[in-house]
Amino acid sequence: MIYHINLPKGILGVSVYENPKKIFYYIAAATKEPVPSGMFAFEIPAAVWAVFENKGDFKENVQDIFRRFYTEWLPFSGYAYAGLPDIEVYPITKETPLRGHSEVWIAIKKD
């Protein structure tokens, strides 16, 4: 499903790919508030996002979403990968859950 949404809500895992030797993974939160001391801002440009929901094991299911996005969804969608950071959205909880509801946001553009 394709959404035009301002900010994802939850704890974010942001993957930034610059080249094969420069791949970064950030733990983040989306906000329009000032950045707290000791942290830094990483701005992701506005885009159209394909948002895939996941219910189950975070690690295995999120990896499966990326695989299926590239092999099943993207080739037949009429869209191309936009090359922006990929975003994983996890629930905010007091404990560290291994499963539950999460989302994967992948920026796309018209092919």
Side-chain angles (χ1 to χ4, degrees), residues 15-90:
S15 299
V16 179
Y17 177 87
E18 290 183 17
N19 63 54
K21 293 186 179 190
K22 283 192 166 188
I23 302 170
F24 303 94
Y25 186 80
Y26 300 100
I27 305 300
T31 183
K32 293 182 180 179
E33 299 298 318
V35 177
S37 176
M39 297 187 172
F40 69 95
F42 184 89
E43 187 170 333
I44 298 174
V48 174
W49 299 87
V51 178
F52 301 91
E53 294 185 318
N54 167 50
K55 291 184 180 162
D57 295 325
F58 292 142
K59 183 178 179 182
E60 290 81 9
N61 290 3
V62 167
Q63 290 173 349
D64 189 52
I65 287 172
F66 281 108
R67 180 189 60 75
R68 293 182 68 198
F69 168 78
Y70 286 108
T71 62
E72 298 174 21
W73 189 87
L74 191 62
F76 306 101
S77 68
Y79 287 88
Y81 179 63
L84 295 176
D86 299 320
I87 302 171
E88 302 161 18
V89 183
Y90 298 100

Side-chain angles (χ1 to χ4, degrees), residues 86-107:
D86 299 320
I87 302 171
E88 302 161 18
V89 183
Y90 298 100
I92 298 173
T93 63
K94 291 182 180 181
E95 64 279 347
T96 306
L98 299 175
R99 52 185 295 112
H101 179 268
S102 64
E103 297 174 346
V104 173
W105 293 38
I106 304 172

